[in-house]
Amino acid sequence: GFFAFHPALAPLIPLWEMGTLASVHACGSPDTTRSHFDAQDYMETGTPGVKSTADGWLARAVKAVPTQKSPFRAVAMGPSLPRALRGEVGAISMQSIAGFDLRSASADGTARRGFESLYEQGVRDLLHGTGRETFEAVKMLKNGNASRIPPANGAAYPRSRFGDSMRQIAQLIKAQIGLEVAFADVEGWDTHVGQGNEQGQLASRLRDFGDTLAAFARDLGDRMADVVVLTMSEFGRTVRENGNRGTDHGHATAMLVLGGAVRGGKAYGRWPGLAREQLYDGRDLALTTDFRTLFSEVATRHLGIPAGAPIFPGWTPPPGGLGLLA
């Protein structure tokens, strides 16, 4: 039909045909900044144009869900917490599941002493929580043997940072330790120079991206019915190539939603067109879907957050939303 995937995203086609993958085009922030820092900040706080927001929209979402307490309700794979998960929920960031531990007091790492001695040595990864809570988190993760759970159903993740992050998120899900929200970052999309087309740096990033999402869905199998993967980016790219065989920052972008009760096999949102007079600033895909419309639909229909919860302060979702989730 009218839309197509890049050839490097071929592994996503079966998910699209199964109706578990959907796209939302012309989606993004209503704020017009072209600053990466500001645009990402607005996307992760969920407050476009407001720089004073202290917490992230995912942190507010987790806080609004009544549930049993687990130190692993919200986890980010990486060296630090993203803005989206900063808040009062006590989210955790970790470089790896296997490395999330308290250091041994001995040089060879074999001796184990009491809790106080272990904790004095610090933690290998940034952990929000202290004392007994820290120890209990480590104990829970070890008891769940998350790092030893292999990919299922023949899933093969790319040997990349993103592939490794999603493989470990799948392990946390299968370990059943109370995970509700997970965050993984994937970089390399700022293709101002030598972008390439069917081959090249963009195709390489898309291949890693598509292979990882396909492996994640295969790995979780039937568990995907209770999981939603939402991809988001603070910028799209300009419609036309620049003088360096690349593309520059664009206004609206495309976001993907996979799994759960997604009504997939369909592109959502109003397509604004690519004629020059239809472009934003004569260069970018125009925005027709505020990212908060998509985010709030995932929050309310998948996470079960009350519609009136103040996840996006000062903003009211449009009637009916996108209708992307059953």
Side-chain angles (χ1 to χ4, degrees):
F2 185 73
F3 296 104
F5 281 119
H6 188 283
L9 293 176
L12 297 181
I13 294 296
L15 300 172
W16 182 272
E17 293 176 341
M18 288 168 54
T20 59
L21 174 67
S23 67
V24 183
H25 53 54
C27 184
S29 171
D31 189 85
T32 58
T33 183
R34 292 191 183 275
S35 159
H36 272 296
F37 178 82
D38 288 344
Q40 185 163 346
D41 188 70
Y42 296 155
M43 181 184 68
E44 294 199 36
T45 59
T47 54
V50 180
K51 294 187 178 182
S52 58
T53 308
D55 53 3
W57 77 268
L58 276 173
R60 295 193 294 272
V62 175
K63 182 182 177 183
V65 179
T67 185
Q68 63 181 24
K69 185 175 177 61
S70 166
F72 295 100
R73 289 186 68 191
V75 173
M77 299 305 302
S80 61
L81 277 181
R83 290 281 281 125
L85 281 176
R86 294 181 190 174
E88 300 178 12
V89 297
I92 288 173
S93 64
M94 62 174 75
Q95 293 274 35
S96 69
I97 296 174
F100 184 77
D101 197 357
L102 299 177
R103 289 177 181 161
S104 169
S106 67
D108 63 5
T110 58
R112 292 284 177 177
R113 295 195 291 167
F115 164 73
E116 291 81 8
S117 297
L118 287 170
Y119 186 69
E120 285 172 1
Q121 297 298 316
V123 292
R124 289 178 182 166
D125 298 287
L126 178 63
L127 170 66
H128 290 256
T130 57
R132 179 66 60 180
E133 292 178 0
T134 302
F135 181 71
E136 291 301 326
V138 173
K139 183 179 178 182
M140 177 183 290
L141 192 59
K142 284 193 171 297
N143 287 344
N145 284 320
S147 64
R148 298 185 179 183
I149 299 175
N153 306 311
Y157 290 89
R159 297 177 70 95
S160 65
R161 174 185 164 189
F162 182 50
D164 195 49
S165 292
M166 294 301 287
R167 177 183 59 80
Q168 292 184 87
I169 288 173
Q171 288 176 320
L172 291 173
I173 292 170
K174 289 186 281 188
Q176 299 183 18
I177 55 175
L179 182 69
E180 296 175 30
V181 171
F183 184 100
D185 188 26
V186 53
E187 299 177 342
W189 305 101
D190 213 11
T191 50
H192 293 274
V193 179
Q195 179 175 295
N197 37 53
E198 290 88 355
Q199 301 295 328
Q201 60 170 319
L202 178 62
S204 177
R205 301 310 303 134
L206 289 171
R207 189 169 295 108
D208 176 44
F209 179 71
D211 286 349
T212 296
L213 291 183
F216 181 80
R218 177 180 286 274
D219 186 5
L220 289 185
D222 292 343
R223 289 185 176 89
M224 281 300 296
D226 194 38
V227 174
V228 163
V229 178
L230 170 65
T231 74
M232 48 188 174
S233 174
E234 77 273 23
F235 282 131
R237 310 303 298 174
T238 49
V239 172
R240 292 180 181 84
E241 183 181 290
N242 61 27
N244 295 314
R245 296 187 177 274
T247 51
D248 301 316
H249 304 162
H251 190 41
T253 186
M255 300 192 185
L256 300 181
V257 190
L258 166 67
V262 173
R263 295 182 173 125
K266 179 180 177 181
Y268 288 81
R270 181 175 62 83
W271 180 246
L274 294 178
R276 184 172 179 80
E277 66 274 11
Q278 296 171 319
L279 300 179
Y280 175 76
D281 278 352
R283 53 178 274 171
D284 301 339
L285 180 66
L287 186 145
T288 61
T289 297
D290 187 317
F291 58 49
R292 290 171 293 188
T293 302
L294 172 59
F295 296 174
S296 65
E297 188 159 318
V298 172
T300 55
R301 299 191 186 182
H302 179 69
L303 293 177
I305 294 164
I311 300 176
F312 301 102
W315 177 80
T316 303
L322 292 167
L324 187 148
L325 290 168

